[in-house]
């Protein structure tokens, strides 16, 4: 989606504010459309030639853009110069924290990943040892990317992030080393360290680069080890008063035989659509993880056991050999639709994206089934889509969040 093509701020804004708006508009265009000539910037922004010349000079002096080539072999001179954002002006670090592992990506100012590293964290490791492991992964990724001075960190972690303090909280079930790692990063570096709930970051990735690119309002329903949701309304992520928007695992639903409590989501939607519940459902249909694709594969990505089962059921159905797999997917869709229907009744998002490893594994086969059941449960028209960024959406969302923060800082006027 392109930014606005007209810069009408000069009518009421001060000259300094108008320059800022024009500079930001030009930088947004250079990011979305790639290298551009001054003439192309003039056309796309609607600004005068002298104004474009001035902003190009300002941005070059600030080290934000540079000449990266010429527009064509037959053209020479200043009018043919192509300007692009200096991507190495800042390096960004995204972290995806899981219960038993960490993955780190280092990207440039345009969000292009330059290096990625990951490592498991053993269940018997002390919090101090886990933090040391994570910090070592960060350092290895920075070295591989040639980034000795990171500009911004963004961390995705399970659990509530208090909007007032920016700290993890809300549950005692999350690993304590997550919060310690964030505090350590904040004390050992001068760079800003942003902390966000992992599902919210996944929604950011789907909004910018995935299944929700054409929707300003949608809900991401995360299906992985557990369940979660992220809510985007009118283009803005909604976190709630305590950061708890989307804790759908606690949603009371029929079919669990119990109710959730303030200390645990067993008996809530989690008991129907979490990985353990899906594995039990698959067993009821006589399904097991296929050889070579173990349901409990280990590693820092921590693939939920149900992912392989759902993937195998979809693959079998596509081959025409999946009667049991089809019945299993039908039953799973019945469960997922209950959570989706509750969300739609309150928010009417118009679009639900099935994210997480299991949402990706189910693909269109699961999304279409959920859409059909949701249409029978709710009068509100809702598009149901499979996520396209998948299990790596948290890491990608962290990089994008870091990119937004870095650009807001670097593209601001001096002082």
């Amino acid at each position: 989606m392109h930014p606005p093509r007209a810069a009408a701020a000069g009518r009421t804004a001060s000259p300094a504010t108008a320059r800022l708006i024009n500079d930001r508009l030009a930088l947004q265009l250079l990011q979305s459309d790639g290298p551009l000539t001054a003439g192309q910037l003039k056309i796309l922004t609607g600004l005068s030639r002298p104004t474009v010349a001035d902003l190009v000079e300002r941005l070059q002096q600030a080290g934000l853009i540079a000449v990266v080539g010429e527009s064509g072999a037959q053209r020479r001179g200043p009018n043919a110069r192509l300007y692009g954002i200096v991507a190495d002006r800042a390096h960004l670090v995204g972290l995806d924290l899981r219960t038993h592992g960490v993955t780190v990506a280092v990207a440039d100012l345009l969000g292009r990943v330059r290096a990625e590293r990951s490592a498991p964290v053993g269940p018997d490791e002390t919090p101090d040892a886990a933090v040391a492991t994570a910090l070592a992964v960060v350092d290895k990724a920075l070295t591989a990317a040639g980034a000795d001075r990171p500009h911004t960190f963004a961390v995705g972690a399970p659990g509530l992030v208090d909007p007032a303090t920016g700290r993890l909280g809300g549950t005692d079930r999350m690993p304590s080393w997550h919060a310690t790692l964030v505090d350590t990063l904040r004390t050992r570096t001068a760079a800003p360290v942003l902390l966000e709930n992992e599902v919210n970051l996944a929604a950011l990735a789907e909004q910018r680069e995935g299944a929700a690119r054409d929707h300003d309002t949608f809900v991401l329903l995360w299906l992985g080890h557990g369940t979660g949701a992220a809510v985007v309304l009118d283009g803005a992520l909604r976190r709630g008063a305590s950061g708890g928007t989307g804790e759908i695992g606690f949603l009371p639903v029929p079919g669990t035989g119990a109710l959730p409590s303030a200390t645990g989501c067993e008996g809530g939607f989690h008991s129907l659509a979490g990985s353990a519940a899906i594995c039990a459902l698959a067993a009821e249909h006589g399904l097991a993880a296929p050889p070579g694709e173990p349901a409990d594969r280990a590693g820092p990505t921590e693939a939920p056991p149900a992912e392989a089962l759902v993937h195998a059921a979809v693959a079998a159905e596509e081959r025409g050999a999946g009667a049991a797999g089809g019945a299993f997917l039908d039953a799973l869709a019945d469960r997922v639709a209950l959570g989706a229907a509750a969300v739609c009744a309150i928010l009417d998002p118009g679009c639900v994206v099935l994210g997480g490893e299991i949402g990706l594994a189910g693909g269109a086969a699961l999304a279409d089934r959920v859409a059909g059941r949701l249409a029978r449960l709710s009068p509100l028209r809702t598009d149901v889509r499979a996520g396209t960024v998948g299990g790596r959406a948290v890491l990608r969302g962290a990089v994008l969040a870091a990119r937004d923060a870095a650009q807001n800082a670097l593209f601001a006027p001096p002082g």
Side-chain angles (χ1 to χ4, degrees), residues 229-293:
V231 176
V232 176
L233 302 178
D234 299 325
L237 183 68
R238 307 296 179 176
R239 298 175 177 85
S242 61
T245 295
E247 288 295 316
I248 197 171
F250 288 87
L251 180 73
V253 289
T256 66
L259 289 173
S261 70
T263 58
C265 55
E266 290 75 16
F269 183 62
H270 170 83
S271 294
L272 287 184
S275 179
I278 296 174
C279 288
L281 180 65
E284 293 175 9
H285 287 80
L287 301 179
E293 194 172 3

Side-chain angles (χ1 to χ4, degrees), residues 158-162 167-174 242-244 247 250 262-264:
L160 304 185
V161 178
D162 190 319
R167 296 184 177 277
L168 279 169
T171 177
D172 296 327
R173 296 183 298 134
M174 296 298 107
S242 61
E247 288 295 316
F250 288 87
T263 58

Side-chain angles (χ1 to χ4, degrees), residues 38-40 42-43 46-56 79:
Q40 289 169 326
K42 174 182 177 299
I43 294 171
L47 297 169
S48 68
R49 189 178 302 276
T51 300
V52 169
D54 288 344
L55 73 83
V56 166
N79 291 336

Side-chain angles (χ1 to χ4, degrees), residues 308-336:
L309 293 164
V310 174
H311 185 273
V314 172
E317 187 175 56
E318 290 175 348
R319 295 194 306 269
F328 161 63
L329 292 172
D330 287 341
L332 176 57
D334 288 339
R335 295 183 173 194
V336 174

Side-chain angles (χ1 to χ4, degrees), residues 126-221:
T126 65
D128 287 345
V131 169
T133 296
L135 291 175
V137 175
V138 171
D139 290 340
K140 289 176 182 177
L142 288 169
T143 299
D148 57 342
R149 297 179 63 185
H151 185 279
T152 305
F153 289 80
V155 182
L160 304 185
V161 178
D162 190 319
T165 65
R167 296 184 177 277
L168 279 169
T171 177
D172 296 327
R173 296 183 298 134
M174 296 298 107
S176 63
W177 65 267
H178 286 181
T180 305
L181 173 63
V182 174
D183 290 341
T184 303
L185 287 172
R186 285 172 171 162
T187 56
R188 84 166 193 166
T189 178
V193 179
L194 314 176
L195 177 62
E196 184 61 88
N197 171 266
E198 58 177 353
V199 181
N200 287 345
L201 289 180
L204 175 62
E206 293 289 358
Q207 178 188 29
R208 300 286 184 81
E209 301 178 350
R213 281 176 292 179
D214 58 342
H215 279 269
D216 288 332
T217 295
F218 71 98
V219 168
L220 173 71
L221 189 58

